[in-house]
Amino acid sequence: MSHTPEAPRPPLPPFTLETAVQKVRMAEDAWNTRDPQRVVLAYTPDSRWRNRSEFPRGREQIQQLLERKWARELDYRLIKELWAHEGRRIAVRFAYEWRDDASNWFRSYGNENWEFDDGGYMAVRHASINDRPISARERLFHWPQGPRPADHAGLSELGL
């Protein structure tokens, strides 16, 4: 796999346990900004995705997907957790909470498989995601909008 023309995005593959955990948290923090222009810069210009039933290719299509996503998934808060890693690949599980414009709450669960280029940019992302309606009292992710605080429990600690 070739290197992206931009400056490297450490940590770089091959990933150790420590650098894989760091890469996962960096992705979580970026997605919690809900800033498509920022998030898309972590992917190669020709990155290939499978996200639910969509198959965007390249940063422009990925950014459009993220803009649509965060326009309908309001008050979005995400937690990612490392599942496995080897070489240039990382597998994560995640959950995020959001509400629609009628204030119906959901928790979305999923798994992602990532593959990175030599420069630390994600070249491939496969995501499987399921949504579960929840009541407002069932919510577990209550931090202020933005990245999850360092002392907030992760998925395993929350029993998810």
Side-chain angles (χ1 to χ4, degrees), residues 17-157:
L17 175 60
E18 179 183 353
T19 61
V21 167
Q22 182 182 2
K23 199 72 155 178
V24 170
R25 185 58 189 247
M26 290 170 65
E28 175 190 314
D29 288 349
W31 278 63
N32 275 323
T33 68
R34 298 179 321 164
D35 180 348
Q37 292 179 329
R38 175 181 170 189
V39 172
V40 77
L41 295 177
Y43 303 95
T44 62
D46 60 350
S47 186
R48 295 178 295 117
W49 278 28
R50 178 180 54 77
N51 191 83
R52 297 181 187 263
S53 62
E54 294 188 60
F55 297 83
R57 298 288 184 263
R59 287 180 175 165
E60 184 177 335
Q61 289 181 12
I62 293 167
Q63 182 171 331
Q64 291 168 357
L65 180 151
L66 294 173
E67 288 169 355
R68 289 190 310 274
K69 170 187 181 59
W70 289 320
R72 78 175 173 273
E73 294 179 356
L74 308 175
D75 293 324
Y76 175 96
R77 287 169 179 78
L78 164 74
I79 299 177
K80 291 183 182 281
E81 183 176 279
L82 177 68
W83 187 255
H85 70 91
E86 184 169 336
R88 64 180 61 256
R89 292 181 172 169
I90 295 175
V92 300
R93 65 188 200 94
F94 63 88
Y96 62 90
E97 293 179 349
W98 58 282
R99 67 173 177 84
D100 63 17
D101 58 3
S103 291
N104 298 303
W105 281 96
F106 299 87
R107 185 173 303 124
S108 299
Y109 299 91
N111 299 292
E112 294 177 334
N113 297 315
W114 301 342
E115 185 171 4
F116 293 85
D117 75 359
D118 294 338
Y121 290 82
M122 195 180 301
V124 178
R125 175 183 174 268
H126 298 287
S128 297
I129 308 166
N130 300 299
D131 302 318
R132 178 178 167 256
I134 60 172
S135 67
R137 71 178 184 283
E138 291 176 285
R139 292 183 55 222
L140 299 173
F141 305 173
H142 294 283
W143 65 87
Q145 199 67 58
R148 175 172 55 109
D151 62 349
H152 190 284
L155 295 178
S156 292
E157 295 83 5

